[in-house]
Structures are given as C-alpha cells and as structure tokens.
Amino acid sequence: MTDNGMPAGNGAGQGGRDRPLDGQVALVTGSVRRIGRATALAFARAGAAVVINARSSRDEAEATAREVEALGVPAMVHLADVTDEQAVAAMVEAVTGRFGRLDILVNNAAIRREAALTEMSLADWREIMSVILEGAFLCSRAAIPHMARRNYGRIINIGGVSAHTGAIGRAHVAAAKAGLEGFTRALAVEFAPSGITANCVAPGRIGGKRSKTSGHGVSLPGGAGPLVGQEGKPADVAEVIMTLCGPAGGFVTGQTFHVNGGLYLA
C-alpha cells in the first residue's frame, strides 16, 4: 500500500473481476451531471478513486462525491475551469498530491449553445472551442506526464454524433467535437510508447433534461430516431467508457466509439 491508502502498482490488472479498477484514480471533468456523473459512479463501482470536477457547482459536486464514497471508494472534489491553464495545472497537481497517481482522464466538460451560423458571433464560436477542445488539450497535457511516469494511462474524450452528421444551429459544437476526434488520434500515436491509450466516445441522443438538444437536427430517413426505438441513458455511455478504461480496453486506442442506438451508422 502507498501512504495515501491506495494500492501500489502500475495501474494494470490491480483489481478482481468485480472491481477491475481497484487502486486506480480517475479524473472526470464536468462530472456533476448526466454522462459525467454516470461515468464517475461507474468508475467507483469498478473500484477507482474518483475526482469530481465542475467549474462552479460545488453543491452538486459534493453530492456526487457522496454517491461515490457510498460505493466504498475515495472521492475528491476540485472546482476548476478547464479553459484556465493555471487552474487545470493546479487541479492535476492536487490530485496527484493526494493520491500519488492519476491513471484515467475523461475529458467530458462541455457547454451547449445553439445559434444560426449567420448569427453566431466569434465570441460564441471561441467559447465552445475553448471549453470542448482547448479544455481537453489542457487537461491531457497536465495529466500525461503523471501517466507516462508509470507507463500507464487511459484518456477518453467525449465527442458527439453531430461531428458526423452536422446539426442545425450547432456548427461550433460539431466542429469542436470533430476536432476532439483528431486530437484523440494524435494522442494515441504520440503516447502509445508511454503505455497510454486514447479513445473517443461519441454519444447520440441521451435522455434527460438535455434530450431535446442532444443529437438535435439528427434523424434517420422518415424522421425516425435511434434504430433501437428509444433514447439512451447516461449509464449506457458510462459503461462503454468504463470498458475502454478497464482490462478489456488495453488493446484499443485511437478509435471513436458511437453510442447512439443506431441513430448514426459509422
């Protein structure tokens, strides 16, 4: 054991079948709601300590942390704006200072805006790019040295179906999510020698408060929705993320995984 109460090791194969991520530490950005929260809980059930991140929603972050701890693993709350270079660096240092390691990073933080392209300001465009794309860059850049030191790491970027289909009023979001896929492939190539995998998970229509804008403008011929006949749940996406970060995901890198019930067929 380490002096912070976490099992020692390089991160691979630490846990049993029921808790395959025992001893690992996962940072999920934007993890107080929907896919981020579901992912944090999936990691906790798999045995990982989880860092809950939000920009300012401390009450929700603390509530999610309590849910994580109820599953028998440590939780840490760290408020940070992923577009702030110094704040991101401080967050990663705080994580490694407490746990001595960082094994998994899920770049989930995002904001949704809708505007016709001809009415979209440059500030609107840059705001989306900053949170989705630059946030993933800053968090990955800060986390990778700690992963490389142990020759082990998992990075998951959360894309979206609009990057493949386009979407009405969301050119900035579609462009940022498409950029994440290129960024994912670049990470996979550059850091495979360091034992780090990088993959992108692209959700489609995920039910809940945002279901009306999730996959907005995306439909099958005849106006049909997902082939499975229903919207997805945040947990559906979280389980794919968890699989990619577990032992079964070790031979997978540089890929985009569509979780959309057949809304879009790659």
Side-chain angles (χ1 to χ4, degrees):
M1 300 287 287
T2 64
D3 57 8
N4 54 49
M6 304 297 293
N10 68 358
Q14 289 295 308
R17 183 173 299 176
D18 293 334
R19 293 172 72 87
L21 299 183
D22 264 350
Q24 295 194 37
V25 177
L27 167 59
V28 184
T29 67
S31 47
V32 300
R33 305 182 190 104
R34 290 177 56 79
I35 291 171
R37 174 181 167 275
T39 300
L41 295 177
F43 284 149
R45 284 190 290 271
V50 184
V51 182
I52 307 300
N53 162 259
R55 183 172 61 182
S56 58
S57 305
R58 177 168 292 280
D59 288 346
E60 289 180 287
E62 296 286 358
T64 303
R66 288 192 293 271
E67 291 184 90
V68 167
E69 291 172 339
L71 292 168
V73 296
M76 174 180 176
V77 170
H78 194 103
L79 301 186
D81 183 343
V82 298
T83 71
D84 184 323
E85 184 175 13
Q86 292 184 338
V88 168
M91 175 171 63
V92 171
E93 288 304 314
V95 172
T96 57
R98 174 173 173 180
F99 296 111
R101 61 194 292 167
L102 176 55
D103 304 281
I104 298 167
L105 169 65
V106 179
N107 288 310
N108 172 69
I111 52 176
R112 292 170 183 263
R113 300 281 189 268
E114 294 196 12
L117 184 66
T118 53
E119 299 173 4
M120 188 182 297
S121 70
L122 182 57
D124 293 336
W125 176 273
R126 286 176 171 169
E127 179 188 32
I128 296 294
M129 290 293 168
S130 180
V131 174
I132 295 176
L133 200 49
E134 292 178 11
F137 157 69
L138 290 173
C139 291
S140 299
R141 189 184 65 177
I144 283 171
H146 298 282
M147 296 176 175
R149 196 169 297 128
R150 304 179 68 87
N151 197 41
Y152 180 89
R154 300 286 182 261
I155 297 174
I156 305 292
N157 295 317
I158 305 302
V161 68
S162 64
H164 297 266
T165 63
I168 298 168
R170 298 181 68 197
H172 43 7
V173 175
K177 294 292 190 178
L180 274 183
E181 295 193 18
F183 180 60
T184 298
R185 289 189 285 273
L187 289 177
V189 171
E190 186 168 352
F191 294 104
S194 299
I196 299 169
T197 65
N199 290 288
C200 182
V201 173
R205 290 183 183 171
I206 304 301
K209 292 182 179 180
R210 286 185 176 178
S211 62
K212 292 183 179 180
T213 61
S214 180
H216 177 68
V218 178
S219 63
L220 296 170
L227 292 176
V228 298
Q230 63 185 24
E231 293 181 333
K233 302 180 294 295
D236 294 328
V237 183
E239 287 303 316
V240 174
I241 295 169
M242 215 293 295
T243 298
L244 289 170
C245 293
F251 196 56
V252 182
T253 194
Q255 306 302 310
T256 295
F257 292 83
H258 295 275
V259 187
N260 59 43
L263 180 67
Y264 168 77
L265 302 179

